Amino acid sequence: MKRFIIFGATSAIACACARLWVAQGHSLFLVGRDRAKLENQLADLRVRASPGQYLDSMSANLNDLEQHESIFSRAEAVLGGVDVVFIAHGTLPDQKACELSVGQTMDEIQTNALSVISLLTLAANRFEAQGSGVIAAISSVAGDRGRQSNYVYGAAKGMVTIFLQGLRNRLAKKGVAVVSIKPGFVDTPMTVQFDKKGLLWVQPETIAQGIVKAVEQRRNAVYLPGVWRWIMLVIRHIPEAIFKRLSL
Amino acid sequence: MMITSWNRYPLVSHTNVLDAVHRHESLPITSGPLLAFGSGRSYGDVCLNEGGVLLRTRRMDRFIAFDESTGVLVCESGVLLADILDLVVPQGWFLPVTPGTRFVTVGGAIANDVHGKNHHIQGNFGHHVRKFELLRSDGERKLCCPDKNIDWFRATIGGLGLTGLITWVELQLLPIINPFMITESKRFHSLDDFWELSAEAESQWPYTVAWIDCTATGKRQGRGILMLGQHAPAQADLPTWKERPRRFPVDPPFSLVNTLSVRAFNLLYYNKPIKKGLALTHYKPYFYPLDGMLEWNRMYGRKGFFQYQCVLPPEASQEGIRDLLNIIANSGSGSFLAVLKTFGSKISQGMLSFPRPGATLALDFPNQGKRTLRLLNELDAVVREAGGALYPAKDARMPSELFRSAYPLWEQFSTFIDPQFSSSFWRRVKE
């Protein structure tokens, strides 16, 4: 049995992961913004769990970096230690609105990159000291190359991707695994405004299975579903002279 | 967005498809009519809303509470019956009533007041609903149970999703000891044999249903296999069983179901070897034989199929079922498997509930356009004459007057419809 902290626990992907981890017998500490959603989720997980599993939650605005230290302390206190940190929170910005507003662009970078980096730093220092643990964070295929249609989100996720690479390099010798998760198009409330007919759209439950496996196997970086590894390989290698003319 | 239900007919365009995710949030404000859409496992247009908005409920799929000592389960309306079984069977509980697929939502099971093979003992799904919350488009949340808002309770059970959004549900489950069933199959050689055998079996078995060969004529008419079941006792010597779901592999452009395949199948099915005496069967293949073949609806091709399920009152059952089988056999357009079962006398809770005393016959017909519609009209005439009813959950074409005469409370029911809600089915039968 392992002890998990899940940040952004009420997101569709994290919800699906939490159910799988509970079914495996693990204990979870959920962190999310909306108290009512958290409580509903916690009740659901409690029905699915055994009496021996510990489940608790805490509502927090993760953009308030000051709180991060106390969230970790509380989770450690109630779980009696932490083995896995999973960071799943994020927002999908309105790219056009961001282009017109520096404030909004900065807010999105704050939510999708800076708050994640703060949590990663705290998790890394703790796990480095204890000499064990898995840190997993959801980045995105959008972080692999900037595109006109969502480069604010892409830049934030790209920062997370690079940061995770660095952490992985730093912690590899310390018994700590760092897992970068790069999903493609997922049918969640975050993407409600898109038409989801295409073959590349998948359900959050599918992504969750991939995440649970990647955490278990202490993988480095996974594309979910795996086909995105090849799609992004192509996208990353298109010469800039051509890429800038494309409308992607 | 173009959407169909399980039988792939009709294919209907919607202006928008939204997700209900959190039960404490209010309903979306839409310009056109709204309708909750669960798993889309009904047949026809009862879950469709042409030109309007569908509110999918599958993301509203949380459990709220389960008391394993009393078997009372509280969950959101988008939870699948399959998810409930996965949770409660290991803890010694079962759904008191289940339809022939477990891939339906709880909300859908209530909205269609579904029934199962144990109707003669347990009645409908609605009989085991202790309470639920109904969210109306004006923001009101009504707690409905048999001693509070009883009218709303009766309108919403079997209310085809028209009274508002069911957000959560409290169910009383049935105690069991293990996941296995004691089953017995009995072959019968004619309709007369069926009536006799079925009446006797119902006094002894909680679950009974018959598959009949709808292509057989003359003295053999109505021959088939009666399948009996009960939950296995504590000390049963349980076999091992592992689920191996298969998927219907292709999406053929035309129906693979035709006169020839139906005849061959029915002949084989009727003559399949039957184990003498009692057998132990896992509950999944017993209750959900078709769930073992994912996407079996593809078999009927792109045009889809019609399901036809009627109930005939007891006094008209024997003659009526005979007439229906005559018409089907003469048409040459048979169904793979026809299902025949007698309903018990438990009065349905819902104003628009389908089950009522008598015999119910269910069949699938590949959609061959006008030819099939003509056949179904002929069947309607028998149902009308007998004073029977068609099942809205399995209907894509019943005439308005047949609906009104079979569901005399429809006018009273219509005063409970949420002003923002409607469905293709409702607009069709109301005209």
Side-chain angles (χ1 to χ4, degrees):
Chain A
M1 194 207 72
K2 290 206 168 76
R3 297 156 297 183
F4 287 67
I5 310 184
I6 304 179
F7 292 97
T10 60
S11 78
I13 292 175
C15 263
C17 288
R19 284 183 179 174
L20 294 173
W21 283 322
V22 159
Q24 292 178 345
H26 302 302
S27 289
L28 312 180
F29 186 84
L30 313 177
V31 185
R33 206 173 21 174
D34 186 315
R35 191 180 297 273
K37 289 180 189 173
L38 267 179
E39 274 167 16
N40 290 345
Q41 190 188 4
L42 199 59
D44 173 68
L45 295 171
R46 288 212 164 109
V47 170
R48 295 166 189 268
S50 78
Q53 287 169 266
Y54 194 88
L55 299 170
D56 203 350
S57 73
M58 177 177 176
S59 67
N61 176 1
L62 293 175
N63 279 327
D64 180 3
L65 308 188
E66 301 285 306
Q67 276 195 66
H68 289 187
E69 181 64 45
S70 66
I71 297 172
F72 272 101
S73 310
R74 181 155 157 206
E76 280 166 337
V78 297
L79 294 174
V82 175
D83 305 296
V84 181
V85 169
F86 177 47
I87 301 172
H89 71 279
T91 49
L92 190 60
D94 179 337
Q95 172 67 29
K96 283 273 167 281
C98 284
E99 286 167 18
L100 300 173
S101 159
V102 173
Q104 201 164 332
T105 300
M106 292 305 149
D107 286 349
E108 296 294 348
I109 300 282
Q110 167 79 13
T111 306
N112 289 301
L114 302 184
S115 74
V116 176
I117 283 169
S118 161
L119 294 170
L120 287 172
T121 302
L122 295 175
N125 292 345
R126 281 172 154 76
F127 284 176
E128 187 176 38
Q130 76 184 32
S132 69
V134 180
I135 298 170
I138 298 185
S139 182
S140 169
V141 294
D144 278 14
R145 190 162 195 179
R147 292 169 299 125
Q148 62 175 358
S149 56
N150 72 342
Y151 62 80
V152 173
Y153 182 71
K157 289 299 193 181
M159 190 176 345
V160 170
T161 298
I162 301 283
F163 196 89
L164 288 167
Q165 282 172 359
L167 272 191
R168 188 178 306 121
N169 191 208
R170 168 185 152 198
L171 298 172
K173 292 140 252 147
K174 304 289 172 60
V176 180
V178 177
V179 186
S180 311
I181 294 151
K182 297 184 187 177
F185 302 147
V186 192
D187 179 6
T188 69
M190 195 198 217
T191 54
V192 72
Q193 67 273 36
F194 294 96
D195 184 5
K196 296 164 181 167
K197 275 237 180 81
L199 274 176
L200 286 172
W201 284 91
V202 298
Q203 293 303 307
E205 286 76 13
T206 311
I207 301 293
Q209 281 170 4
I211 292 174
V212 168
K213 208 166 126 195
V215 167
E216 212 168 82
Q217 298 176 339
R218 301 166 68 97
R219 294 274 299 275
N220 298 319
V222 289
Y223 286 87
L224 294 173
V227 62
W228 283 96
R229 177 176 298 278
W230 311 113
I231 296 174
M232 295 319 294
L233 186 73
V234 173
I235 300 275
R236 280 201 316 273
H237 285 88
I238 300 171
E240 197 61 26
I242 296 167
F243 197 82
K244 70 179 181 188
R245 293 169 202 276
L246 303 176
S247 35
L248 279 169
Chain B
M1 245 170 273
M2 303 299 282
I3 292 189
T4 66
S5 54
W6 187 245
N7 62 324
R8 306 174 119 195
Y9 176 91
L11 182 63
V12 160
S13 146
H14 294 83
T15 55
N16 208 348
V17 177
L18 303 171
D19 285 306
V21 183
H22 297 289
R23 65 177 183 272
H24 57 271
E25 287 176 353
S26 49
L27 289 170
I29 294 160
T30 56
S31 50
L34 189 66
L35 185 70
F37 182 95
S39 209
R41 282 296 182 126
S42 53
Y43 304 73
D45 54 3
V46 79
C47 65
L48 302 177
N49 194 10
E50 187 163 17
V53 177
L54 285 184
L55 185 61
R56 295 190 301 186
T57 61
R58 277 291 290 121
R59 289 271 156 242
M60 212 160 58
D61 67 343
R62 297 167 197 86
F63 292 116
I64 298 170
F66 178 54
D67 184 336
E68 61 169 288
S69 62
T70 59
V72 174
L73 174 80
V74 190
C75 66
E76 292 179 345
S77 59
V79 169
L80 292 183
L81 298 190
D83 296 335
I84 294 180
L85 291 166
D86 287 345
L87 176 78
V88 304
V89 167
Q91 304 186 65
W93 295 94
F94 204 76
L95 292 165
V97 166
T98 172
T101 170
R102 64 194 193 279
F103 302 128
V104 303
T105 62
V106 179
I110 294 178
N112 294 292
D113 198 10
V114 298
H115 57 273
K117 300 172 184 178
N118 58 349
H119 184 272
H120 59 287
I121 309 274
Q122 298 283 6
N124 311 346
F125 195 85
H127 285 112
H128 307 275
V129 174
R130 290 161 53 106
K131 54 177 89 123
F132 56 80
E133 182 187 72
L134 185 66
L135 174 58
R136 301 272 293 176
S137 58
D138 62 5
E140 194 191 351
R141 287 171 188 269
K142 286 181 190 291
L143 183 69
C144 305
C145 52
D147 48 19
K148 197 174 171 202
N149 287 322
I150 176 74
D151 287 352
W152 290 94
F153 188 75
R154 292 189 55 231
T156 303
I157 287 181
L160 310 175
L162 296 165
T163 60
L165 178 71
I166 302 169
T167 54
W168 59 262
V169 177
E170 184 176 310
L171 298 174
Q172 174 63 59
L173 304 178
L174 182 83
I176 55 165
I177 292 166
N178 60 57
F180 282 80
M181 307 294 297
I182 291 205
T183 61
E184 186 173 6
S185 297
K186 290 185 173 177
R187 213 187 308 269
F188 52 89
H189 306 286
S190 69
L191 263 186
D192 289 340
D193 285 358
F194 166 78
W195 299 116
E196 201 176 311
L197 209 55
S198 164
E200 187 197 323
E202 279 177 14
S203 65
Q204 294 163 17
W205 292 82
Y207 299 98
T208 70
V209 72
W211 299 109
I212 65 170
D213 173 0
C214 62
T215 60
T217 52
K219 271 199 289 193
R220 292 175 180 159
Q221 186 184 55
R223 67 180 185 176
I225 298 168
L226 186 64
M227 292 158 162
L228 311 166
Q230 67 182 62
H231 293 283
Q235 291 188 309
D237 185 13
L238 303 178
T240 52
W241 183 81
K242 202 168 171 347
E243 189 170 19
R244 287 188 203 87
R246 289 167 297 169
R247 189 174 290 276
F248 198 77
V250 290
D251 203 350
F254 53 86
S255 174
L256 302 179
V257 182
N258 53 48
T259 314
L260 197 68
S261 63
V262 165
R263 263 184 202 289
F265 179 87
N266 277 282
L267 189 70
L268 273 174
Y269 197 86
Y270 174 72
N271 287 297
K272 73 173 183 177
I274 288 184
K275 196 179 167 216
K276 277 220 161 55
L278 305 176
L280 272 165
T281 312
H282 192 270
Y283 81 85
K284 284 183 184 170
Y286 177 75
F287 285 105
Y288 313 110
L290 287 171
D291 285 354
M293 177 62 85
L294 303 172
E295 300 185 57
W296 62 264
N297 54 345
R298 288 174 153 191
M299 179 172 75
Y300 286 92
R302 308 248 161 89
K303 285 194 203 153
F305 62 102
F306 289 96
Q307 171 127 154
Y308 192 87
Q309 183 167 2
C310 62
V311 55
L312 306 179
E315 63 279 4
S317 287
Q318 300 207 6
E319 199 191 328
I321 298 291
R322 187 174 309 269
D323 291 346
L324 292 173
L325 291 178
N326 281 336
I327 293 169
I328 293 160
N330 289 337
S331 76
S333 169
S335 166
F336 254 127
L337 285 172
V339 179
L340 182 58
K341 149 118 197 113
T342 50
F343 282 140
S345 54
K346 232 176 168 177
I347 304 297
S348 292
Q349 312 265 80
M351 296 176 187
L352 295 189
S353 291
F354 164 70
R356 58 200 73 188
T360 179
L361 180 68
L363 308 123
D364 296 331
F365 297 102
N367 176 15
Q368 296 171 320
K370 280 189 183 139
R371 189 177 154 204
T372 312
L373 290 169
R374 215 161 36 231
L375 166 67
L376 301 182
N377 287 338
E378 281 181 59
L379 300 178
D380 282 353
V382 177
V383 174
R384 196 179 290 117
E385 174 76 12
L390 294 188
Y391 190 8
K394 297 185 174 177
D395 176 65
R397 38 66 56 196
M398 81 163 95
S400 158
E401 49 71 35
L402 184 57
F403 173 77
R404 293 180 203 202
S405 64
Y407 295 88
L409 295 180
W410 74 272
E411 260 175 312
Q412 186 194 345
F413 166 80
S414 57
T415 63
F416 292 91
I417 295 178
D418 188 287
Q420 205 193 326
F421 280 60
S422 186
S423 70
S424 292
F425 172 87
W426 188 252
R427 291 188 292 273
R428 181 163 63 75
V429 298
K430 215 183 53 180
E431 270 164 20

